[in-house]
């Protein structure tokens, strides 16, 4: 028999895992969106892809996505991203 505390802990663990999965999904989608828009402006260097992939702050990623619509080149994006 599983006691109530164990059930509650298990539920909390499952919910935490679901939230982490959602966050990772959002990060991956943002990364893909940023790189996809940048590809329209030229070849995206591997070093830039790595920088974008390493970022985990969704607010920063949102600002980068907005920036992709404002710049005319990959170089300008890199200059303005930080």
């Amino acid at each position: 028999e599983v006691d109530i505390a164990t059930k509650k802990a298990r539920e909390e663990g499952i919910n935490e895992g679901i939230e982490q999965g959602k966050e990772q999904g959002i990060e991956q989608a943002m990364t893909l969106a940023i790189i996809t828009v940048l590809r329209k402006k030229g070849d995206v260097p591997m070093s830039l892809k790595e920088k974008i992939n390493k970022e985990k702050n969704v607010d920063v990623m949102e600002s980068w996505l907005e920036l992709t619509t404002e710049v005319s080149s990959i170089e300008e994006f890199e200059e303005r991203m930080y």
Side-chain angles (χ1 to χ4, degrees):
E1 176 179 313
V2 178
D3 65 23
I4 293 171
T6 302
K7 282 184 179 179
K8 184 171 177 130
R10 193 176 294 153
E11 280 181 26
E12 288 174 2
I14 290 170
N15 289 336
E16 189 174 306
I18 290 170
E19 285 303 312
Q20 287 176 348
K22 286 179 184 177
E23 289 174 16
Q24 289 174 347
I26 290 168
E27 291 166 9
Q28 290 172 350
M30 294 290 288
T31 297
L32 179 60
I34 293 164
I35 292 172
T36 299
V37 176
L38 286 174
R39 279 193 194 125
K40 298 288 185 184
K41 300 177 188 305
D43 291 328
V44 182
M46 184 58 68
S47 59
L48 179 55
K49 289 179 186 176
E50 288 171 356
K51 284 180 193 175
I52 294 167
N53 276 313
K54 286 180 184 175
E55 184 58 57
K56 302 300 177 205
N57 184 322
V58 174
D59 292 333
V60 170
M61 297 175 88
E62 283 180 10
S63 71
W64 287 353
L65 185 55
E66 288 177 16
L67 183 59
T68 64
T69 67
E70 298 169 5
V71 299
S72 58
S73 68
I74 302 287
E75 293 77 18
E76 184 182 356
F77 177 84
E78 287 185 283
E79 289 170 7
R80 293 179 53 192
M81 68 187 292
Y82 288 111

